[in-house]
């Protein structure tokens, strides 16, 4: 999401459709397929950009006391087969499935930013320290924004764990530029099998950028992670649109749906590319999941809603549709649950 602070000033377009290619492909990049998708206006973006930049260096608002669970990683390092999920923070989760250890969008840095002196600062330390991780086999990346793709973290993972990085189209060159070669690119609906686990990149509605000059040059997506008996949907970042029903039909049902519940205010900036808690539950329903897992909240302050509002809205919305509390997981930082 923090890419909006860099790229929203407007960049060169990605050109028109490519004859014979999938509809999301463009001459110089990629596009969302929802015909109603639109970007916010220039001045609307500039006001938001200035407000968030100032907040990143001068924020005085009290940080809520978010729950944490102590986790030294010992049980995770000893685990060989039991399916577990651990929330490290933001969109970084450790998934253990059929003996394969997976990290999603790993972010262990102090800021989600290209610079050390500004940009969203981490509000909570990682719930599981980097040195406490089990051996990581696979890292999945949803898109190239700084809160989801952190250069120091992926370089450290590559040097320490040597995982396979599964990434959307266009990102392999970026990884090569930072010295990481064990990378496989996928397009929407492409799959790769790592041991008994099948990874499929799915469409979502978002965008990409790391500089003011590369908007939408690299693809974005969610991930289906399917083991022998259990399946997980990881939504990355997305706005709500009707494409999630196709994911549920083609790849579901899922045991867990990991969906963002924050970064939704103001709607004139966020409505097309992030979900409110209520919309996140629609994603959960559309992909045909059994249990909802809240993510992308309480770690970085990226938008204008109160920091502690998203889980409260989620609980209220879930009860309004008679979804039992035990099927809505709002994990503490560092919490591990079996599934």
């Amino acid at each position: 999401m923090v890419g909006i602070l860099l790229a929203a000033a407007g960049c060169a377009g990605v050109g028109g459709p490519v004859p014979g290619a999938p509809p999301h492909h463009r001459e110089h990049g990629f596009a969302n397929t929802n015909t109603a998708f639109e970007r916010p206006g220039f001045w609307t973006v500039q006001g938001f950009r200035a407000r968030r930049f100032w907040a990143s260096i001068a924020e005085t608002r009290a940080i809520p006391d978010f729950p944490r669970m102590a986790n030294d990683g010992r049980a995770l390092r000893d685990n060989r087969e039991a399916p577990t999920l651990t929330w490290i923070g933001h969109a970084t989760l450790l998934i253990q499935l059929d003996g394969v250890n997976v990290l999603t969008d790993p972010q262990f840095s102090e800021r989600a930013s290209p610079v050390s002196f500004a940009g969203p600062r981490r509000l909570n330390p990682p719930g599981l320290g980097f040195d406490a991780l089990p051996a990581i086999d696979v890292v999945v990346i949803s898109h190239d924004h700084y809160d989801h793709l952190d250069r120091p973290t992926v370089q450290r993972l590559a040097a320490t764990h040597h995982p396979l990085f599964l990434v959307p189209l266009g990102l392999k060159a970026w990884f090569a530029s930072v010295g990481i070669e064990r990378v496989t690119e996928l397009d929407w609906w492409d799959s790769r099998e790592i041991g008994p686990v099948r990874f499929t990149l799915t469409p979502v509605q978002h965008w990409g950028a790391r500089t003011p000059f590369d908007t939408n040059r690299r693809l974005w997506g969610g991930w289906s992670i399917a083991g022998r008996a259990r399946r997980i949907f990881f939504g990355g970042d997305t706005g709500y649109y009707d494409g999630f029903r196709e994911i549920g039909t083609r790849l579901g049902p899922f045991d867990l749906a990991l969906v963002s519940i924050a970064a939704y205010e103001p709607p004139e900036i966020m409505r097309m590319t992030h979900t409110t808690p209520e919309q996140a539950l629609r994603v959960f329903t559309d992909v045909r999941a059994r249990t909802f897992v809240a993510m992308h909240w309480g770690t970085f302050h990226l938008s204008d809603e109160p920091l502690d509002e998203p889980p409260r809205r989620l609980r209220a919305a879930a009860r309004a549709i008679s979804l039992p509390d035990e099927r809505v997981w709002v994990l503490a930082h560092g919490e591990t649950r079996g599934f």
Side-chain angles (χ1 to χ4, degrees):
M1 202 290 296
V2 74
I4 199 167
L5 303 179
L6 296 173
C11 307
V14 291
V18 179
H24 60 288
H25 285 228
R26 294 293 184 269
E27 293 171 333
H28 307 294
F30 304 93
N32 290 297
T33 56
N34 178 7
T35 57
F37 183 86
E38 59 181 0
R39 294 178 63 84
F42 176 82
W43 291 114
T44 300
V45 168
Q46 297 318 302
F48 174 77
R49 182 184 183 191
R51 187 167 66 251
R52 297 312 311 160
F53 179 81
W54 178 250
S56 76
I57 59 176
E59 181 66 77
T60 59
R61 201 178 339 186
I63 298 173
D65 186 18
F66 294 122
R68 294 183 62 84
M69 284 194 176
N71 192 337
D72 64 5
R74 181 175 301 176
L76 299 170
R77 294 191 297 274
D78 290 341
N79 183 31
R80 295 295 178 266
E81 287 292 331
T84 75
L85 179 74
T86 303
W87 190 39
I88 296 172
H90 201 55
T92 306
L93 296 106
L94 170 67
I95 299 165
Q96 297 188 298
L97 184 61
D98 295 333
V100 179
N101 293 328
V102 183
L103 272 183
T104 65
D105 287 359
Q107 222 305 355
F108 284 79
S109 290
E110 180 64 18
R111 290 188 185 269
S113 174
V115 296
S116 61
F117 58 87
R121 185 189 296 276
R122 182 178 288 274
L123 306 176
N124 281 289
L128 182 69
F130 188 95
D131 292 334
L133 290 169
I136 301 301
D137 302 299
V138 180
V139 173
V140 297
I141 301 295
S142 66
H143 65 294
D144 64 4
H145 288 165
Y146 286 89
D147 55 326
H148 294 258
L149 176 55
D150 180 59
R151 180 184 54 79
T153 297
V154 296
Q155 287 179 314
R156 190 177 178 189
L157 281 166
T160 306
H161 292 267
H162 312 290
L164 174 65
F165 291 87
L166 297 178
V167 305
L169 289 179
L171 269 169
K172 187 171 184 176
W174 180 89
F175 273 85
S177 75
V178 299
I180 301 173
E181 300 292 342
R182 194 165 182 241
V183 180
T184 297
E185 281 187 339
L186 287 80
D187 199 354
W188 288 348
W189 305 117
D190 284 349
S191 297
R192 292 293 184 275
E193 291 187 2
I194 311 301
V197 181
R198 185 175 183 86
F199 297 83
T200 303
L201 184 69
T202 72
V204 299
Q205 182 169 285
H206 203 58
W207 63 292
R210 290 183 75 82
T211 76
F213 311 105
D214 62 356
T215 297
N216 293 348
R217 300 302 171 96
R218 296 175 284 263
L219 187 58
W220 51 91
W223 289 94
S224 165
I225 303 170
R228 297 186 186 100
R230 291 173 176 81
R231 299 181 182 186
I232 297 170
F233 174 70
F234 170 68
D237 254 358
T238 184
Y240 182 78
Y241 76 126
D242 61 9
F244 294 102
R245 297 187 186 95
E246 184 177 8
I247 295 172
T249 299
R250 292 175 64 161
L251 300 171
F254 294 93
D255 295 278
L256 305 178
L258 286 48
V259 188
S260 168
I261 64 167
Y264 50 79
E265 292 288 346
E268 60 267 25
I269 293 288
M270 302 297 189
R271 66 184 180 88
M272 286 289 178
T273 53
H274 293 91
T275 48
T276 65
E278 296 82 5
Q279 291 170 327
L281 287 170
R282 293 176 67 186
V283 174
F284 159 79
T285 300
D286 287 355
V287 301
R288 302 167 56 213
R290 174 176 54 84
T291 299
F292 182 99
V293 181
M295 68 168 191
H296 201 278
W297 73 278
T299 309
F300 295 105
H301 193 189
L302 303 175
S303 51
D304 289 352
E305 73 271 4
L307 289 166
D308 56 354
E309 179 182 274
R312 290 188 280 106
R313 275 184 62 167
L314 175 67
R315 288 291 189 196
R319 288 165 182 162
I321 62 173
S322 300
L323 188 64
D325 286 354
E326 60 268 22
R327 291 180 58 195
V328 180
W329 291 4
V330 181
L331 302 178
H333 283 83
E335 182 175 357
T336 297
R337 293 192 190 183
F339 65 96

